[in-house]
Amino acid sequence: MLQAPATTLYFLLCVAVATYVQTLTGFAFGLVLLSLVATFKLASVADAANTASVLTLVNALAFFRTERQAPPWRQMRPALITSLLTVMLGVLMLGWMHDHAASWLETALGIVIVLCAVSLVARRQQAEHVGPPRGFAMAGALSGLMGGLFGTSGPPIVFYLYRQPLATDVVRRALLVMFASNASLRLLLVVLSIGMSAHALLLCLLSVPIVQLTTRLTLKAPPPVPPGVMRPLVATLLALSGAAMIFR
């Protein structure tokens, strides 16, 4: 990477874009980062997933240091418990696929990204009452599996939470605390099992200041872009990136 500074700069630009989207919407950091990195071949899927886990945790810490409001622990408890359990399964699957089916790993990621893009723009009616704990638990289990495998656990829990009659800021805090919890466990499991490459560690060190700076600037001066406009833009970006990965 040190011999290709342009590649490093492109990766850091992708990190800034992903952080910007995550801070505004509360989700999509890992998806945006992995889709851009994989599309432009800036790093392997495994290295990008490990880097996304570290930066997701950094982004959440920067957010809660600026926005000092408590997450909705009571409602998110079932989702947190099941997601932490399935993160372990996802990490085991990642280790096997990285060694024996690397091309299929990228193809699977592309399919997941396209499905997530569709779910972002799909019309869905908001529920009248907050769902039961088993609904949170199921969404958490699916998110944990994705988090362990790809380093991004957003789509299932995002889809479920945005159907609940909850304020946008509550949903954003709920998502960030779940992403931070999954990322913490995933990093521990990766370090103890398949390990992190020197490339991934260097990417993390270079990206941490970008995440912190972008998060603070976005919170202090958010752009006048309504969620109704931001969500289709993110979905389009993800769909194009995912399709490119599948066809390649």
Side-chain angles (χ1 to χ4, degrees):
M1 186 178 64
L2 294 176
Q3 296 176 354
T7 302
T8 304
L9 291 177
Y10 292 147
F11 184 90
L12 295 179
L13 178 60
C14 293
V15 170
V17 172
T19 305
Y20 179 78
V21 173
Q22 169 86 8
T23 306
L24 287 179
T25 63
F27 63 94
F29 177 86
L31 284 175
V32 172
L33 180 61
L34 264 69
S35 64
L36 291 175
V37 169
T39 298
F40 297 109
K41 288 290 185 180
L42 302 178
S44 68
V45 173
D47 282 348
N50 291 336
T51 305
S53 295
V54 174
L55 299 183
T56 295
L57 184 57
V58 172
N59 175 255
L61 293 175
F63 177 88
F64 284 114
R65 285 184 62 185
T66 305
E67 296 286 326
R68 297 181 180 276
Q69 299 186 54
W73 292 110
R74 182 180 62 83
Q75 291 172 334
M76 290 301 295
R77 188 178 297 115
L80 287 170
I81 293 173
T82 56
S83 67
L84 292 176
L85 293 175
T86 53
V87 161
M88 295 184 284
L89 177 60
V91 171
L92 292 175
M93 293 174 63
L94 172 66
W96 183 87
M97 294 186 73
H98 183 257
D99 293 334
H100 301 91
S103 61
W104 283 105
L105 178 62
E106 183 171 341
T107 303
L109 177 59
I111 294 173
V112 168
I113 288 175
V114 172
L115 293 176
C116 295
V118 174
S119 72
L120 285 178
V121 295
R123 290 185 176 273
R124 49 192 182 275
Q125 185 177 4
Q126 194 175 58
E128 296 182 1
H129 306 285
V130 177
R134 65 178 180 274
F136 281 85
M138 180 62 70
L142 294 175
S143 292
L145 182 62
M146 278 193 61
L149 189 56
F150 300 120
T152 172
S153 56
I157 194 65
V158 167
F159 185 86
Y160 188 77
L161 283 179
Y162 270 98
R163 290 193 67 249
Q164 308 304 312
L166 300 171
T168 302
D169 62 322
V170 174
V171 172
R172 184 167 57 175
R173 295 198 304 272
L175 290 173
L176 285 174
V177 74
M178 181 168 177
F179 296 160
S181 300
N182 287 351
S184 300
L185 178 59
R186 184 186 186 279
L187 287 173
L188 177 63
L189 294 174
V190 166
V191 170
L192 295 177
S193 57
I194 60 178
M196 289 184 65
S197 68
H199 187 208
L201 291 173
L202 186 55
L203 289 176
C204 292
L205 290 175
L206 294 174
S207 301
V208 166
I210 303 296
V211 171
Q212 292 180 328
L213 179 61
T214 305
T215 300
R216 290 180 178 275
L217 291 178
T218 305
L219 288 174
K220 290 182 180 297
V225 180
V229 175
M230 178 63 69
R231 191 171 291 119
L233 290 176
V234 174
T236 301
L237 172 65
L238 293 175
L240 292 174
S241 301
M245 294 168 62
I246 294 171
F247 288 118
R248 182 171 63 240

